[in-house]
Amino acid sequence: MPILVITGTGTEVGKTVTTAALAASALGAGRSVAVLKAAQTGVRPDERGDADEVARLAGAVTTAEIARYPDPLAPATAARRAGREPVRPREVAEAAVKLAAEHDLVLVEGAGGLLVRFDEAGGTLADAAELLRAPVLVVASAGLGTLNTTELTARELRSRGVELLGVVIGSWPGSPDLAMRCNVTDLPDVAGAPLLGALPDGAGSLAPADFRAQAPGWLAPRLDGTWEAGAFRARAVPA
């Protein structure tokens, strides 16, 4: 798994912090890691972007961005408003392959959900994953509504013949409600793929040293972690 594509079921689901946890766990396992942000929006040239945040939390990773646009919009729209060239799926794939030649793991982080448009032709992160023939990890929210968006994402990946590696809950609260607790059981069913982790709410606010020490405990062994779905489900699922 030299290249892993990370998408979300929408915005603000914990995708960047999950990417940081993946990077930290891989680094802890002795692997070299690169993080590629396909299209960074809503950030000025002098501001830190998502890839920078991953490096702050995870440590010594190589970071790369293909393009950034100032407006907090879908990449295609943000590029058009800025009067700049959009990012195209082939560019994403080529950049990832180049990084993979020099790193054990390349994490490709999308913008928003799987089908957010990168360019005027409708190119998406899903197209990049197809070109790469790389597995996709879906970061999902914990609460009500997540089953629908997760299943839609999974169906789109299956329709394209792209492997869905699994699902990670991007933010798990200290006091989950009934829907969240039930979703622990239902998410793997609707995704047709395993639940591979759950990050605690506020993980991105931890000091970097604490984040790196704790990250493996949030992710399953397949993601270089120690998290156990069965134990998590036993605690979360209502009687």
Side-chain angles (χ1 to χ4, degrees), residues 6-30:
I6 299 101
T7 191
T9 54
T11 59
E12 305 299 325
V13 295
K15 189 167 65 269
T16 297
V17 179
T18 298
T19 301
L22 293 165
S25 295
L27 288 170

Side-chain angles (χ1 to χ4, degrees), residues 46-238:
D46 60 334
E47 290 183 309
R48 295 173 61 86
D50 291 344
D52 298 315
E53 178 64 4
V54 171
R56 183 186 74 82
L57 290 169
V61 301
T62 299
T63 60
E65 283 180 1
I66 296 178
R68 65 165 55 191
Y69 310 105
D71 290 329
L73 303 168
T77 307
R80 185 179 69 244
R81 283 182 52 83
R84 300 177 189 171
E85 284 296 310
V87 172
R88 304 189 190 282
R90 188 164 296 280
E91 292 178 86
V92 179
E94 289 172 353
V97 168
K98 184 176 180 180
L99 288 167
E102 300 176 348
H103 297 83
D104 298 322
L105 176 65
V106 178
L107 302 172
V108 181
E109 183 184 344
L114 182 69
L115 297 183
V116 168
R117 293 190 171 201
F118 284 169
D119 60 27
E120 71 283 353
T124 66
L125 186 68
D127 295 316
E130 276 192 272
L131 290 169
L132 287 165
R133 298 180 181 177
V136 174
L137 182 72
V138 173
V139 181
S141 60
L144 200 63
T146 194
L147 299 180
N148 178 60
T149 52
T150 300
E151 184 164 2
L152 288 171
T153 302
R155 287 189 182 191
E156 179 65 23
L157 289 170
R158 283 196 297 271
S159 75
R160 293 168 175 262
V162 176
E163 178 189 357
L164 171 53
L165 186 69
V167 177
V168 170
I169 297 172
S171 179
W172 183 256
S175 299
D177 62 24
L178 179 61
M180 294 173 180
R181 292 156 62 205
C182 290
N183 287 341
V184 171
T185 296
D186 294 336
L187 275 169
D189 290 340
V190 302
L195 188 62
L196 293 179
L199 274 66
D201 184 32
S205 298
L206 292 171
D210 293 332
F211 183 92
R212 296 165 198 172
Q214 294 179 38
W218 307 330
L219 301 170
R222 193 168 185 183
L223 300 175
D224 295 311
T226 60
W227 182 88
E228 295 183 2
F232 182 78
R233 186 175 295 110
R235 296 192 303 270
V237 175

